[in-house]
Amino acid sequence: MAARQRRRTLPLPVNLVFAAALAFLMTQLLGTAAGAAAAAAALIVGSRRTSPGRNSWAIGAAGERRTARLLGPLTWTRRYAVLHDRGVPRSRANLDHLIVGRSGLIYVDTKNWTSVTSKVRVKSDGQLWYGDYPQGAALATVRWEADQVKRVLGWPVHAVIAVHGARVPGGRIHLDGVTVIQARDLRRYIRSLPGAAGWDRALIRETTRIADVRLAPASAR
């Protein structure tokens, strides 16, 4: 996922302004005591609606947690290690999930595309789309993030997008150096990848140690 969204001061949402006006009207009609209670309820309802950016961040974070749970069983043996939410050095970008295993390095970016009626597909223009939205920029970002892992750790990186919600026809798409896969199939896909020469348990352990140092947790920045 690209750099986390900054907190910023936002103008008062329209729905909150409407709720405040409604609260004032209730106070005038119902009297001070009853109106105050109704006003509080109206303001609470109005304030529950957050900005689209914050909603998008929350949806994305929920998807990352789901992917983390899916990847958890890989670590039950010493054949895989998984690092989550790591920062890219000299950048505000963060890496969702990095798997170090017998196939080498796999970078997984989570997309929590919540519309179950929208398909992920490659259209006649050769571009990846989610519903009515082109995803060329998303693919380019994932490739760039995988390249940063390669730059820092010195090994080739397999780039993957794990999709929650929206359906990926056939469960898997390979496009522009990125594998787009239904998230529920992610663990099975990783285990199906052929082993890479030299990636024994000792190399997995040492590479994980180095990655843990060079790719610090995003929360620590």
Side-chain angles (χ1 to χ4, degrees), residues 14-31:
V14 172
N15 59 293
L16 189 55
V17 172
F18 175 77
L22 180 60
F24 176 78
L25 180 60
M26 288 177 177
T27 303
Q28 299 303 307
L29 292 176
L30 301 177

Side-chain angles (χ1 to χ4, degrees), residues 1-220:
M1 179 179 289
R4 289 185 179 278
Q5 181 179 345
R6 284 183 175 179
R7 289 189 177 183
R8 60 189 185 276
T9 303
L10 296 171
L12 196 61
V14 172
N15 59 293
L16 189 55
V17 172
F18 175 77
L22 180 60
F24 176 78
L25 180 60
M26 288 177 177
T27 303
Q28 299 303 307
L29 292 176
L30 301 177
T32 303
L43 287 170
I44 289 171
V45 171
S47 65
R48 283 180 179 170
R49 296 287 299 274
T50 56
S51 70
R54 291 187 64 188
N55 279 337
S56 298
W57 184 89
I59 290 171
E64 290 179 35
R65 290 193 295 270
R66 291 177 65 189
T67 301
R69 288 194 294 270
L70 289 171
L71 294 174
L74 290 176
T75 65
W76 294 351
T77 69
R78 289 182 291 173
R79 296 169 68 97
Y80 298 93
V82 185
L83 302 176
H84 303 287
D85 196 23
R86 296 289 165 145
V88 175
R90 299 186 297 278
S91 168
R92 295 187 60 220
N94 70 292
L95 308 167
D96 289 354
H97 319 276
L98 177 63
I99 298 136
V100 186
R102 65 183 193 88
S103 325
L105 299 178
I106 304 167
Y107 170 59
V108 178
D109 181 81
T110 291
K111 299 298 182 191
N112 198 9
W113 288 336
T114 55
S115 174
V116 295
T117 61
S118 296
K119 291 183 179 179
V120 179
R121 66 197 187 282
V122 179
K123 295 179 69 172
S124 58
D125 59 3
Q127 298 296 311
L128 182 72
W129 287 69
Y130 159 52
D132 297 327
Y133 301 96
Q135 298 300 321
L139 279 178
T141 297
V142 171
R143 287 197 305 272
W144 179 85
E145 290 168 341
D147 285 344
Q148 300 314 298
V149 176
K150 179 181 179 181
R151 176 180 62 81
V152 171
L153 299 181
W155 295 95
V157 180
H158 183 59
V160 177
I161 292 177
V163 176
H164 295 278
R167 185 165 63 87
V168 179
R172 192 180 310 169
I173 296 171
H174 299 284
L175 184 65
D176 296 338
V178 179
T179 300
V180 183
I181 192 168
Q182 206 81 59
R184 64 173 176 267
D185 298 328
L186 178 61
R187 191 169 64 240
R188 181 171 53 202
Y189 171 70
I190 290 170
R191 285 175 169 158
S192 73
L193 293 173
W199 283 91
D200 55 16
R201 290 178 176 176
L203 182 56
I204 291 170
R205 182 172 58 253
E206 179 62 13
T207 304
T208 302
R209 184 191 65 78
I210 295 171
D212 193 34
V213 172
R214 295 182 181 177
L215 300 170
S219 59

